[in-house]
Amino acid sequence: MAQRTVIEERRKKIATFVSQQEKVDIHTLAKLTNATEYTIRRDLAFLEQENLITRTHGGAKRTENQKLVWQITSVTERLQKNREQKTRIAQFAASLVDDNDSIMIDGGSTTQLMAYNLKEKRDLLAVTNSPDIAKILLDTDDAKVVQLGGEMQRNTFTVSGPEAEEHLAHFFVDKSIIGVSGADLDHGCYAAIPSEASLKRLMLRQSRERIVLMDSSKFGRKAFSLAFPFNMVDILVTDTEAPSDLIIKLKEMNVKVYTV
């Protein structure tokens, strides 16, 4: 009984510390609890099963609430979250776009950061549902930009809905670049609202090569609407903190994964 109490107290201490620090490594937790790193790894596995923390490579991070609701946040707010990881993903993803490419680029925080990195591309043709991304790309003399019409979402400042899909269906491009609100291996990638999920799915269908940008915090998270399964994805660009076991499984599903 005494041993069980010690374990419970140690795990409670770990969970509390991680929630306060947001992110922490195993070595720090071992010093905090005066336990071995092997013991800490077992504790983290238990706490993750209880949905109290999320394991990362070499440590743990705070688990966000995972509710099946319309989780719409502004692009401005999302641009500040995980900014470093999103910037790396955006820079690498831009290298996958070549001069003279035609692309569809979905509105979102990581895709917006990517747009800034496309300014050096020559003769780019881009179709987007984001006025912000359209404006960024129009600052490039060589770029041609098609802005989709349709219902404007107030918080995300993107266009979606039947009119946008009808407009989009007229185009077929080399590559689509899509952001998502969350993903799991069993079902695929999620969006906050049904109209956005539907538009993302159509963008993938209207392109030869399908690229998804997703920072590691999105793994294991669900949003309200399932957008598309991973068998519709050719390339996933994420950061180095993405769970290694999930990356292996995605590669087994013939998804080319880049961790940057």
Side-chain angles (χ1 to χ4, degrees):
M1 180 65 70
Q3 179 66 19
R4 182 180 301 172
T5 301
V6 169
I7 294 172
E8 290 174 353
E9 288 298 318
R10 184 180 66 243
R11 289 173 175 173
K12 181 179 178 180
K13 189 174 185 178
I14 290 171
T16 300
F17 186 76
V18 173
S19 69
Q20 293 171 342
Q21 301 297 317
E22 186 173 353
K23 187 175 173 183
V24 66
D25 60 59
I26 288 176
H27 179 68
T28 300
L29 292 173
K31 288 182 64 177
L32 176 72
T33 58
N34 197 30
T36 66
E37 294 189 4
Y38 173 76
T39 297
I40 296 299
R41 288 191 178 91
R42 288 195 304 175
D43 288 343
L44 294 180
F46 173 84
L47 291 170
E48 186 174 53
Q49 286 183 341
E50 297 296 309
N51 201 33
L52 296 173
I53 59 97
T54 298
R55 283 187 294 174
T56 64
H57 180 69
K61 64 181 180 180
R62 184 169 57 203
T63 295
E64 300 183 32
N65 292 331
Q66 300 175 5
K67 299 178 180 179
L68 291 174
V69 296
W70 289 29
Q71 298 174 330
I72 305 175
T73 54
S74 69
V75 174
T76 302
E77 181 181 338
R78 283 181 284 142
L79 279 168
Q80 300 310 313
K81 188 175 182 181
N82 300 321
R83 179 78 179 224
E84 181 181 341
Q85 294 93 326
K86 289 178 179 179
T87 299
R88 294 200 308 268
I89 291 168
Q91 290 172 342
F92 181 84
S95 72
L96 301 176
V97 177
D98 301 315
D99 292 343
N100 302 302
D101 267 349
S102 59
I103 65 171
M104 289 178 180
I105 181 165
D106 175 44
S109 54
T110 309
T111 50
Q112 185 169 319
L113 290 171
M114 177 189 175
Y116 287 106
N117 291 277
L118 294 175
K119 291 187 175 184
E120 301 302 317
K121 305 298 179 181
R122 304 299 302 271
D123 297 318
L124 194 67
L125 172 60
V127 180
T128 184
N129 66 327
S130 166
D132 285 334
I133 289 175
K135 184 177 184 300
I136 293 167
L137 295 177
L138 281 173
D139 287 338
T140 304
D141 292 336
D142 289 333
K144 296 180 179 64
V145 180
V146 176
Q147 168 66 60
L148 295 178
E151 180 184 358
M152 182 72 71
Q153 300 298 327
R154 187 180 305 278
N155 289 323
T156 62
F157 201 57
T158 56
V159 171
S160 61
E163 295 88 353
E165 292 186 30
E166 183 178 356
H167 194 184
L168 181 64
H170 288 87
F171 308 114
F172 190 80
V173 299
D174 297 314
K175 296 164 184 173
S176 56
I177 302 100
I178 308 294
V180 298
S181 299
D184 63 54
L185 290 180
D186 293 331
H187 301 97
C189 297
Y190 295 84
I193 58 177
S195 61
E196 288 186 353
S198 183
L199 192 71
K200 291 174 190 291
R201 188 161 55 247
L202 183 58
M203 280 187 169
L204 294 181
R205 288 173 178 161
Q206 297 297 106
S207 58
R208 295 183 180 86
E209 188 171 47
R210 302 159 298 184
I211 304 168
V212 170
L213 312 184
M214 182 175 68
D215 69 82
S216 57
S217 71
K218 306 289 179 60
F219 280 99
R221 291 180 57 189
K222 289 183 172 67
F224 184 73
S225 302
L226 181 64
F228 51 84
F230 273 111
N231 63 17
M232 291 185 70
V233 178
D234 298 310
I235 296 173
L236 172 68
V237 185
T238 186
D239 60 75
T240 53
E241 295 179 16
S244 57
D245 55 332
L246 298 184
I247 297 303
I248 291 171
K249 291 177 181 177
L250 284 170
K251 290 180 178 179
E252 291 173 350
M253 297 166 64
N254 296 317
V255 178
K256 185 179 291 187
V257 181
Y258 296 100
T259 54
V260 296

